[in-house]
Amino acid sequence: MADKTERVRESFRAREETKMKKKKETITKKLFRLLFHRLVFAGAAFLVQVVILLVLLLRFEDYFVYFYGVSIVVSVAMVLYIVSNRSNPAYKIAWIVPILVAPVFGGMLYLLFGGNKLSRREQRRLIEMEGNFSQIPVVAPSCQEALGALSADALNQSEYIRRIAGGPPYQNTSAEYLPLGEVKFRRMLEELEKAEHFIFLEYFIIQEGKMWDPILEVLERKARAGLDVRVMYDDIGCMLTLPAHYKRVLEEKGIRCCVFNPFVPVLSSRFNNRDHRKICVIDGHTGFTGGINLADEYINAYPKHGHWKDTAVLLRGDAVASLTLMFLTLWDFSTGTKEDYNAFLPRVYHPEPVESDGFVQPYTDSPLDDESVGETVYMNLINKADRYVYITTPYLIISNEMITALSTAAKSGVDVRIITPHIADKWYVHALTRAYYEVLIEAGVRIYEYTPGFIHAKTFTVDDEYGVVGTINLDFRSLYLHFECAAWMYRCRCIRDMREDFMKTLEASQEITLKQCQQVTPLTRLVRSILRLFAPLM
């Protein structure tokens, strides 16, 4: 009996030792990955550059008076440049204040991090490529005539998008609203399985896991079958979610891959301009866009910030042409290639027209054209609203123009409601979002926080007639610095689905009152005021 007990003890000790050994190995592997992660190398590289600058300053301290004089001249020049350029006034103030407070380094900082730093040649090349939108005959002129016959206001909004963002309005298109990441994931897998010719994916974030792995399996299988399968992802967006050389992993599977604006650890503002778009195109006639990235939190397989509420739209028919052109334009720009866009249009592999479901107009917003398309489309919708404007956004960090538009609509009797998250993904951004509540609520805008978790959806629903689903947040970085996309819809059946989903989401949300806003502590007000000053830089 004693021997048996001793054997049990020995077995138990052996199991515990094995567990401890595995745990130590896991910790060691994690520590090894952390130490050799490219973010650590990037941080080290930045630190080295800062140290070199400081050493140079100390080394040439005898010439500090000259350095100081040059710095003052640079700072004054930068302030004059900022005042005269076309950027948003709030963005100007956010840079002018630190430059004036610290003129020795302020101007230098703006030279490094202000504006966008793509070369003029790169900007010209990208704008030239985006001009391809107007060269592809994918829409009948009768579409605009039909839209104008229904509503002059709708035609005006559509004309702005067509002229400035390049994408025309389409009929012969169906739109399906997808109210959750789980729904989009299921529908996307179904449509990917049907692919026979090509698959294009463009996402800000991709992460290995329960969402991406099944998608990757389909992509690999389709690539082996001879389909043209391409994946484009943003390098900074995926810095913490994918290995440094993931491009090679995909290419070894037969998948063509492009990493947008690869991260280089050099102090520069080139990294301001990220590819924040989410696009999936299948055979040219089926496409997805919306707020949903390809990572587990978007399908609630990983509870990152409580329940993750996000949305997308599935388009089928002629309007997918614009999503395809968006993808190919940025692909060709990033890879230095040029191809025949006509080979990828909807009617190539789907010659029969799709039954029209209202009017659909996908559009893109580039940070390089001095035109804030995303913000203007939103303000056009607010200004043209008669009965209601329902908005979901993860961030509410807005310009004075947007505050005025929302406030004026509410004061005019329009039912303006906004849903933001209750659980933050970034505390300072959440604090900044709440800093805008009081002025809007005083004007009659009703604001709600989604209490189960984080709402990442970017939707506008107006009067049961207009709807926008896309990637464009109500914050300065999304509105002015990122490549974005969305779908503007008029009188599509899914707009009622959007309204119903909004009302359902309201039931799980808490309305914020003016009293709650006014009861915050003086310290909180101070922090929010400081954050608002630098809001355009966040």
Side-chain angles (χ1 to χ4, degrees), residues 72-84:
I72 295 296
V73 170
V74 170
S75 292
V76 170
M78 289 302 99
V79 168
L80 292 174
Y81 170 76
I82 292 167
V83 168
S84 62

Side-chain angles (χ1 to χ4, degrees), residues 24-39:
K24 287 179 181 178
E25 288 175 353
T26 301
I27 293 172
T28 303
K29 286 178 181 177
K30 286 182 178 179
L31 184 61
F32 182 84
R33 283 199 296 267
L34 178 63
L35 289 174
F36 288 92
H37 194 282
R38 61 177 173 150
L39 195 60

Side-chain angles (χ1 to χ4, degrees), residues 22 41 45 65 97 104 123 131 158-159 162 280 293 490:
K22 287 182 178 178
F41 284 109
V65 64
V97 169
V104 175
Q123 291 185 47
S158 174
E159 275 295 282
R162 184 185 67 82
C280 170
N293 284 299
Y490 177 67

